[in-house]
Amino acid sequence: MENYIVFDIGGSSIKWSIMRKNGCILKRGILKICETSDEFFETIIKKVKNNLIEYDLQGIAISSPGAVDCKTGIVGGASAIPYIHGPNFKEILKNATDLEVAIENDANCAALGECWLGAAKDINDCAFVVCGTGIGGAIVKDKHIHYGANKHGGEFGYCIVTYDGNEYLSWSKVGSTKALASNIEKRKGLPFDSLDGMKAFQLYESGDKIAVEEVEKYFTYMAIGIYNIQYTFDPELILLGGAISEREGYIEEINKKINKIMLSSKDGKVKPIIKRCVYGNDANMLGALYNLINR
């Protein structure tokens, strides 16, 4: 069976795996985010060449943040890694390895992975919300990704969910795990980057007063965003991805906030149906592979 190498670019690391055509993972690892674009591509190319012969690799699949142009291989928009926006991934990697290359937005990859083998395999219309260092998303209509006129279809993180008296704040700025951790750090006087989403929830579960208040806000922002998606797109299902979504009770807490919104507004009668991705953090890799195979 044919083998491929898949890279999932995240805000703080790059996950990679050797995968069979059927989605089976043979080998996996993690790479650190480099300081420069040159180092970034050198690291990826080295990993490809180190596995090229042993696994008889047939192609390179990439899941990336940002507004990805699948045809050109160029990543637009913005992300936590500024230098990935501009270089042509397809040209650079194909010229260095002589392998076919396909790149797709990370949230779209999660959607494709779950539509291929996961929680949405029997669903036609669904939306995906991926919560990490920012809020990503994807819209699937009739089993196909909706990209939009500007490649921003499903970029839910840009949606405005609150106003603090001075500025309108996006979902990513107030409702991501990075925002949650940062808010707790500031209120507790902790060093910058001393917390991440997992540590923030550990404080919450220990009963820390500040963490409890901030996590309650976090669940409210998640509920507002999901509620708005339901009444914008009206999907059959809204899937949640990102490591934080795998926590026990996570969806239940969001549903509680949605119930409060619906009781308060008294307008909407359709409650969103929410599930978590079956494949968790592997959904991006599955979708990236699916994207490569089907292009």
Side-chain angles (χ1 to χ4, degrees), residues 90-152:
K90 282 189 173 183
E91 285 186 3
I92 293 170
L93 296 178
K94 184 174 176 58
N95 289 342
T97 65
D98 202 31
L99 293 175
E100 290 301 316
V101 180
I103 182 170
E104 176 60 279
N105 169 266
D106 49 6
N108 287 349
C109 282
L112 289 171
E114 292 292 329
C115 284
W116 179 24
L117 298 172
K121 64 182 180 180
D122 298 319
I123 299 293
N124 288 318
D125 297 348
C126 52
F128 293 75
V129 179
V130 183
C131 185
T133 53
I135 300 289
I139 295 171
V140 176
K141 177 66 179 172
D142 296 325
K143 290 288 188 182
H144 292 89
I145 295 289
H146 171 72
Y147 291 99
N150 301 290
K151 305 292 190 295
H152 278 58

Side-chain angles (χ1 to χ4, degrees), residues 265-277:
S265 71
K266 298 179 182 177
D267 292 327
K269 304 300 181 185
V270 178
K271 184 179 178 180
I273 297 174
I274 309 168
K275 293 184 180 180
R276 61 173 53 87
C277 292

Side-chain angles (χ1 to χ4, degrees), residues 48-84:
V48 174
K49 290 184 175 179
N50 285 348
N51 290 279
L52 182 61
I53 304 301
E54 181 181 357
Y55 290 97
D56 189 24
L57 298 178
Q58 301 298 304
I60 303 169
I62 301 170
S63 164
S64 170
V68 177
D69 188 320
C70 300
K71 292 182 179 179
T72 65
I74 295 173
V75 181
S79 73
I81 316 172
Y83 60 68
I84 68 171

Side-chain angles (χ1 to χ4, degrees), residues 15-277:
K15 301 183 186 75
W16 66 272
S17 63
I18 307 296
M19 301 179 71
R20 292 199 183 281
K21 191 175 183 179
N22 64 0
C24 175
I25 296 177
L26 302 176
K27 182 180 178 181
R28 66 167 81 217
I30 297 177
L31 303 172
K32 290 183 179 179
I33 293 295
C34 301
E35 294 293 325
T36 68
S37 174
D38 288 343
E39 291 173 328
F40 172 84
F41 283 106
E42 285 170 8
T43 300
I44 289 179
I45 291 165
K46 182 179 178 181
K47 185 58 64 178
V48 174
K49 290 184 175 179
N50 285 348
N51 290 279
L52 182 61
I53 304 301
E54 181 181 357
Y55 290 97
D56 189 24
L57 298 178
Q58 301 298 304
I60 303 169
I62 301 170
S63 164
S64 170
V68 177
D69 188 320
C70 300
K71 292 182 179 179
T72 65
I74 295 173
V75 181
S79 73
I81 316 172
Y83 60 68
I84 68 171
H85 303 274
N88 191 311
F89 276 74
K90 282 189 173 183
E91 285 186 3
I92 293 170
L93 296 178
K94 184 174 176 58
N95 289 342
T97 65
D98 202 31
L99 293 175
E100 290 301 316
V101 180
I103 182 170
E104 176 60 279
N105 169 266
D106 49 6
N108 287 349
C109 282
L112 289 171
E114 292 292 329
C115 284
W116 179 24
L117 298 172
K121 64 182 180 180
D122 298 319
I123 299 293
N124 288 318
D125 297 348
C126 52
F128 293 75
V129 179
V130 183
C131 185
T133 53
I135 300 289
I139 295 171
V140 176
K141 177 66 179 172
D142 296 325
K143 290 288 188 182
H144 292 89
I145 295 289
H146 171 72
Y147 291 99
N150 301 290
K151 305 292 190 295
H152 278 58
E155 288 287 358
F156 305 127
Y158 290 117
C159 294
I160 302 302
V161 294
T162 190
Y163 177 67
D164 69 357
N166 295 306
E167 62 177 321
Y168 295 95
L169 298 171
S170 71
W171 194 354
S172 281
K173 283 185 178 179
V174 298
S176 64
T177 53
K178 182 177 181 180
L180 169 63
S182 177
N183 289 339
I184 295 173
E185 285 170 356
K186 290 174 184 176
R187 291 188 61 187
K188 293 180 72 67
L190 297 173
F192 176 72
D193 265 357
S194 59
L195 296 178
D196 57 17
M198 290 300 181
K199 290 178 181 177
F201 268 85
Q202 287 170 4
L203 284 173
Y204 163 74
E205 288 165 354
S206 72
D208 181 275
K209 183 176 183 297
I210 290 174
V212 168
E213 291 175 357
E214 292 301 327
V215 170
E216 287 296 316
K217 289 180 188 176
Y218 166 84
F219 281 129
T220 297
Y221 293 133
M222 288 298 295
I224 290 170
I226 289 168
Y227 180 87
N228 288 340
I229 292 169
Q230 185 65 49
Y231 283 92
T232 304
F233 175 41
D234 195 22
E236 299 167 70
L237 176 68
I238 296 176
L239 278 178
L240 303 185
I244 206 72
S245 69
E246 297 178 18
R247 296 189 69 82
E248 185 177 350
Y250 183 83
I251 289 177
E252 288 77 5
E253 290 300 322
I254 294 172
N255 276 325
K256 288 178 185 177
K257 298 295 185 184
I258 290 175
N259 288 340
K260 288 183 70 173
I261 290 171
M262 296 185 74
L263 282 171
S264 176
S265 71
K266 298 179 182 177
D267 292 327
K269 304 300 181 185
V270 178
K271 184 179 178 180
I273 297 174
I274 309 168
K275 293 184 180 180
R276 61 173 53 87
C277 292

